[in-house]
Amino acid sequence: MTFIRSDIPARRRMDLESSQIEGITYEVNIDKCKWCIVCMYRPPSQNDNCFSSECVKLLDKCSAVTDKIIVMGDLNYDMLDSNKSKSLSEISDLFDLHCVVKSPTCHVVNTKPSLVDSAKVTILSSKLSNWDSFVHDLGEIQPPDPCADVNKAYSEFVGELNQVIDKHAPVKQRYQRKKLPCMNRELRKAIYVKHMLYSKYVKYRNSKTWEKYRQQRNLVEKIKRRSMSRYFIERCTGGHKSDKFWPTIMPFLSKKGNSNGTKIILEEEGQILSDNTGVCETFNSYYVNVAKDIGKDVIFDNLDKHPSIEKISESNTDNPTFTFNHVSNDNVNKSICGFNVKKATGVDSISVKILKEGKEALVNPITTLVNMSINTCIFPNDLKLAQVCPIFKKGDCMDKTNYRPVSVLPIMSKIFEKALSSQLSEFFEPIFNKFLCAFRKGYGCQTTLLRLIEDWKMALDQNMYVAAILMDLLKAFDCLPHNVLLRKLEAYGLSGDSLNLMHTDVSR
């Protein structure tokens, strides 16, 4: 039962409540600020894992719709004993919560006072409630000096930004359990009952509680098999032509794309490498040198005599000289707003969400850094650092050549690169052939296929033969000769300063 003053706007949020936890959730609006008040009760016999799992789900829902969260109730965890309150402490760390009641609330004769009666305990999310303070601290970051070295200026800016982030939104590790694809309400309820019966068996240790647990355990397995069978029947009806068939079957048939959750073991020169350091060094050496010798036998002493460069120079005599221009705050703001918040975070630990929420204070210094890079013709070295994750493709999972690298660059590098690529695209748009469809806005595979099909139909109507040669270049981007690329850009009309900036970008 919950009592809320009649003059306080409030409503019950049953959509946020958990069916596995006894409790009630209200949304309260005070001074134009939305609060989520969660009152719950945890029986002493309830399994810790079950409670923790459901509590995390409930708080996830609450944090998605409200700015501030208060959790109170009789949770039967002694907050004065770290061993007895481990589960609740992990939940608090996960959501950056803290307990505001420090003194004992439960006093029993001949026993040590404890903090288990949590009816007076309030847990407040400081991460969600101090957003105004976070934005204020972002505004206190010293703006970069336009006359300073761009690498040093960027490193100092990121260092100060990370200090503010660590203060208000420190990184928390979250371990998510693997979910059964066939999980449903019936199976979830049966598992909950099984955990409850196991807790009783652990408490009493007699044949009666063991028998009840054993029967429920067997029932869970029976329901799981039935749910799995129903899951496959519902999604695979219609055979391999169904849209859901292969996404349902492939996770059970192949390890491709699922190597993130498994330990990678490699075989190198007859030795088995299982330690992370050895595996990382092996992958690093392989990826760095994989394209080292590709095209090594092709040498051009004079790039001006290169056939493609000669052709470009002949056909682009009237092109104006291209120079990178300064970007405005609006350009940077538009780039930040266009990012997907689910994009991975790079080595600098700066997420898209942080940039979006603090963009009012961050747009101006980021714009200054981008313009400093254009002025000095230097792309910051820290923006070239990437987290490389090997993804298994096919074949022998112990062979390093069967993994492809996926690089995650800092999100700030996307802002710098977008500022340059947008200007380059605008310059090259009237130069490119109308049949060039790769990496161009408004073009794609469909454009190429439509053109080819129409040409083939016209040729067949004229009783001509049609043939196609398809090529897939191995390590195409890895073996791209930078000197030839830069010489081609010069032939198209890029100025010396622009070429120097591009050179510092590609020389990673």
Side-chain angles (χ1 to χ4, degrees), residues 266-293:
L266 298 178
E267 181 179 3
E268 184 72 6
E269 298 180 354
Q271 295 183 351
I272 302 298
L273 301 177
S274 58
D275 62 298
N276 292 335
T277 303
V279 171
C280 289
E281 289 178 352
T282 301
F283 274 126
N284 184 62
S285 176
Y286 171 67
Y287 291 142
V288 169
N289 300 308
V290 64
K292 188 176 182 180
D293 297 328

Side-chain angles (χ1 to χ4, degrees), residues 270-504:
Q271 295 183 351
I272 302 298
L273 301 177
S274 58
D275 62 298
N276 292 335
T277 303
V279 171
C280 289
E281 289 178 352
T282 301
F283 274 126
N284 184 62
S285 176
Y286 171 67
Y287 291 142
V288 169
N289 300 308
V290 64
K292 188 176 182 180
D293 297 328
I294 298 179
K296 198 173 182 179
D297 53 335
V298 181
I299 300 175
F300 291 96
D301 295 329
N302 187 1
L303 288 178
D304 291 333
K305 300 299 182 180
H306 191 284
S308 61
I309 295 176
E310 286 185 337
K311 189 68 176 178
I312 294 172
S313 301
E314 292 174 2
S315 58
N316 293 278
T317 54
D318 299 331
N319 286 345
T321 301
F322 172 83
T323 303
F324 286 111
N325 298 317
H326 285 181
V327 298
S328 64
N329 288 352
D330 291 338
N331 298 133
V332 174
N333 183 66
K334 186 177 179 181
S335 298
I336 295 175
C337 292
F339 289 143
N340 185 347
V341 294
K342 294 184 178 181
K343 274 190 172 294
T345 303
V347 294
D348 56 2
S349 301
I350 300 175
S351 66
V352 175
K353 185 176 181 181
I354 292 293
L355 287 181
K356 283 197 170 186
E357 296 293 344
K359 63 183 179 181
E360 293 183 1
L362 295 176
V363 162
N364 188 53
I366 293 176
T367 304
T368 302
L369 288 170
V370 174
N371 291 331
M372 287 174 62
S373 178
I374 294 175
N375 288 337
T376 59
C377 306
I378 297 174
F379 195 86
N381 293 328
D382 290 347
L383 295 181
K384 305 175 189 179
L385 298 177
Q387 289 179 331
V388 181
C389 179
I391 302 298
F392 181 67
K393 297 185 295 183
K394 60 182 179 179
D396 184 6
C397 62
M398 297 180 69
D399 186 356
K400 63 185 178 184
T401 62
N402 291 330
Y403 290 82
R404 65 180 179 89
V406 174
S407 301
V408 180
L409 289 165
I411 194 63
M412 296 279 284
S413 70
K414 305 297 181 184
I415 301 176
F416 278 68
E417 290 176 353
K418 199 164 186 177
L420 304 182
S421 65
S422 60
Q423 298 184 43
L424 285 173
S425 298
E426 184 178 353
F427 173 75
F428 279 104
E429 188 60 34
I431 299 175
F432 284 150
N433 189 286
K434 62 179 181 180
F435 299 133
L436 182 62
C437 302
F439 306 105
R440 294 178 69 184
K441 188 175 181 180
Y443 293 80
C445 294
Q446 295 88 343
T447 315
T448 304
L449 290 174
L450 285 173
R451 172 67 185 181
L452 289 174
I453 291 173
E454 291 301 319
D455 288 346
W456 293 343
K457 287 166 62 177
M458 187 179 299
L460 292 174
D461 290 340
Q462 298 175 4
N463 296 323
M464 300 173 65
Y465 292 101
V466 174
I469 300 176
L470 307 178
M471 293 187 299
D472 183 14
L473 300 179
L474 178 65
K475 308 295 182 184
F477 288 97
D478 293 328
C479 62
L480 184 67
H482 293 165
N483 58 338
V484 177
L485 174 63
L486 293 172
R487 186 62 187 85
K488 286 185 177 182
L489 292 175
E490 183 181 1
Y492 275 116
L494 264 70
S495 65
D497 289 344
S498 300
L499 289 172
N500 290 333
L501 179 56
M502 294 296 297
H503 177 68
T504 60

Side-chain angles (χ1 to χ4, degrees), residues 201-231:
Y201 166 69
V202 172
K203 183 177 181 179
Y204 297 106
R205 294 286 181 177
N206 55 45
S207 58
K208 184 178 179 180
T209 55
W210 166 255
E211 184 62 24
K212 288 184 177 180
Y213 165 71
R214 186 186 66 81
Q215 292 179 1
Q216 185 65 24
R217 180 193 62 189
N218 296 340
L219 177 62
V220 168
E221 291 299 321
K222 183 178 179 180
I223 296 175
K224 186 187 295 185
R225 293 191 187 100
R226 186 168 65 242
S227 300
M228 185 68 77
S229 176
R230 190 185 305 120
Y231 170 79

Side-chain angles (χ1 to χ4, degrees), residues 156-172:
E156 292 176 351
F157 170 74
V158 171
E160 293 185 37
L161 177 57
N162 277 323
Q163 288 180 3
V164 177
I165 295 173
D166 291 339
K167 176 183 176 181
H168 294 275
V171 176
K172 301 291 183 181

Side-chain angles (χ1 to χ4, degrees), residues 14 42 46 51 94 103 144 182 186 227 255 261 283 375 415 438:
M14 299 182 66
R42 172 190 167 270
Q46 186 172 3
F51 175 79
L94 182 63
S103 58
C182 61
E186 180 187 16
S227 300
K255 295 181 180 179
F283 274 126
N375 288 337
I415 301 176

